Amino acid sequence: MKFKELDNVILTKEVSFVDDGDEGILAVGTRGVIVHLYPNPNTVVVEFFDKDNETICVEDISVRFLELAESR
């Protein structure tokens, strides 16, 4: 599947993260937005959000762990 910047995505696998000293687990179903595409088509940068639309973290992540979501 080909993604593009600003696509809304959903995490399909639990992933740990470290962002600005914060550590945690992103659960399956966590929503995010692709904010950067690398030349390597297998990795993108996603900003993940909680249910209150607050940023949880910004992470490099494999596209294997993402699926497209409907717009927020």
Side-chain angles (χ1 to χ4, degrees), residues 3 9-15 29-30 42 48 60-67:
F3 293 98
V9 293
I10 296 175
L11 195 58
T12 60
K13 181 175 178 163
E14 186 175 272
V15 176
T30 301
N42 298 321
F48 289 100
D60 293 359
I61 192 157
S62 170
V63 296
R64 300 179 301 166
F65 302 153
L66 302 172
E67 67 181 31

Side-chain angles (χ1 to χ4, degrees), residues 16-30:
S16 61
F17 73 90
V18 176
D19 187 55
D20 277 340
D22 292 331
E23 296 181 33
I25 302 288
L26 295 171
V28 172
T30 301

Side-chain angles (χ1 to χ4, degrees), residues 18-72:
V18 176
D19 187 55
D20 277 340
D22 292 331
E23 296 181 33
I25 302 288
L26 295 171
V28 172
T30 301
R31 293 186 172 272
V33 174
I34 295 177
V35 295
H36 181 73
L37 299 174
Y38 288 114
N40 172 356
N42 298 321
T43 304
V44 294
V45 180
V46 178
E47 183 172 359
F48 289 100
F49 300 95
D50 64 16
K51 292 180 182 185
D52 296 325
N53 289 328
E54 296 291 324
T55 299
I56 299 171
C57 66
V58 178
E59 285 291 310
D60 293 359
I61 192 157
S62 170
V63 296
R64 300 179 301 166
F65 302 153
L66 302 172
E67 67 181 31
L68 284 175
E70 295 185 23
S71 297
R72 291 163 81 59

